[in-house]
Amino acid sequence: MKFPTVALMLAQLLLATTDAFVSQHGATMSKAFLPTSGTALQVAAEVVTSEIKPRKTREERLEAASKGLQVHVVGLSIHHAEVEVREKLAVPECDWNQASNDICSRGAVAEAAVLSTCNRFEVYYAASDPHAAMADVTKYLADRSGLPVSTLRKNLFMLSGEDAVWHVMRVSGGLDSLIVGEGQILSQVRQCYLHSVEEDGCGGKVLSRLLNNALAAGKRVRSETAISKGSVSISSAAVELSEMLAMDDLQLPFSESRLAVVGAGKMTRLLITHLASRGLEKIIIVNRSLGRPKELQEQFPDVDIEIKLMDDLWDVVGRSDIVYTATSSEDYVIDEQRLEENGLAGGRPLMLVDISVPRNVGEDCKNIPNVKAYNVDDLKAVVARNTAMRQKEMIEAENLLREETQAYVAWREALSAIPTINQLQERANAFREEELKRCTRKLSNANLSDREMEAVERLSRGIVNKLLHGPMAHLRKTESIEGKQATLKELSAMFRLEEDENGRNRRRR
């Protein structure tokens, strides 16, 4: 018997198997789900000559992501917690992945990413047991901060599911920032995403997708609305604050004030940018090394930048009217004791504007009569006017973010279909194997070669896959969450997926 003839005969035989399968389940199946006999024979012809494709690793990743993982957010921001609490949890960017690994190592959290800025500290994570995961994250925060859990809970916010997704979208879009529409947070979310997908990151399928979608949403908000038009950052708000209060605190116009900044990082660059836009001509930069200050000299050739090392800090403070601090130090750079030791207490007026978290300027500096000290929390009054001016843009931005939120939630919900698809494939494959055994016995006298038996195996798989294509395509095309859930129930009932081989209902795990 020639090989193609055997394959064609077996196709007809397996078509009878398909009919038996459909007769059991087809009464409740949509006609669109069912293949025709011509289709089955066409599949048979294709399968006979096709190669067996290796299983993709992406399927394994999707299956892992579908195991009940839900996204959550725990954190504190300038809206919920004072700077005294925020600075105890602040994590340098170089340690974000280490913090994520510490959280995941406790067992209940499957995926995690940390975002730590001057205005917020947030942990984004995915877990199947929300209560155990919340306990792990809270314990980590308590251990890191040294604060009792009771104190932390008064300052923390906790969000789950769609609320957590909505929050991340608002953060990326700049709507949750102290300065509405500020652009720096988008860069920080981008870094959070990039770190999460690094080799030592803990992003995973669910969380990395969320952060990537949030990043795209933030870009969309800024390109399709005017939310960032003329917007200000923490640095420019600090400039605005000092400009507004110079006469009251220093009895000196801002334009005549002598300025200095401690630190030479990104915040200092932004600070000088905004000062230059107001006609800044001269400023002193105090830093631990000369490298970054010299780079700033090159970036701002029109500004007379004098560079000093930290050994000269108190000399610089003594001849300045306004000192901005923006270093990564975890300890105070300026406090009451140091000011007194260097003869700067009780002299001429001095304004200290601290835009660092952890803070660089001690709260006790306010005890000195001639010193006015401000930190990032004092910028709220300055930016209230900015927020009021952006109400229209905020509404437009929120509409876009809702679209992005629903898109992510729908994708996440689609992962829940994977177990149903797997059950459907397993049940169909059980029918296939059963009928294939019968077919093999009937053809025991045909003396089929190993190659021909392999073709029969491929043929049977091809027919089953074609039979299931309709239900699976219908499930994947369902866009709404409600529609997808209804389809899952329909398919489960249609193919009796909740029954075991003996027709009894399986217990749900």
Side-chain angles (χ1 to χ4, degrees), residues 240-251 351 374:
E240 187 176 340
L241 176 74
S242 53
E243 185 177 32
M244 182 173 62
L245 298 178
M247 283 301 298
D248 293 337
D249 292 352
L250 304 174
Q251 291 77 54
M351 181 188 295
Y374 303 96

Side-chain angles (χ1 to χ4, degrees), residues 13-113:
L13 182 61
L14 286 172
L15 184 58
T17 301
T18 301
D19 290 338
F21 181 75
V22 172
S23 67
Q24 183 172 355
H25 300 288
T28 55
M29 293 176 65
S30 168
K31 291 182 179 179
F33 289 177
L34 302 177
T36 64
S37 59
T39 302
L41 292 176
Q42 181 182 358
V43 173
E46 292 173 354
V47 174
V48 167
T49 57
S50 65
E51 296 294 332
I52 298 176
K53 296 181 179 179
R55 183 179 295 273
K56 297 181 180 179
T57 57
R58 177 176 177 274
E59 295 177 3
E60 297 175 356
R61 296 199 305 271
L62 284 172
E63 184 176 1
S66 71
K67 293 180 179 177
L69 292 183
Q70 187 59 274
V71 293
H72 311 270
V73 178
V74 172
L76 40 80
S77 73
I78 196 168
H79 305 300
H80 307 89
E82 298 297 327
V83 65
E84 291 88 346
V85 178
R86 299 201 309 274
E87 66 185 2
K88 291 182 182 298
L89 285 170
V91 178
E93 185 179 332
C94 60
D95 294 332
W96 285 2
N97 280 356
Q98 180 59 53
S100 300
N101 278 279
D102 290 345
I103 292 170
C104 290
S105 68
R106 295 171 182 256
V109 175
E111 305 175 14

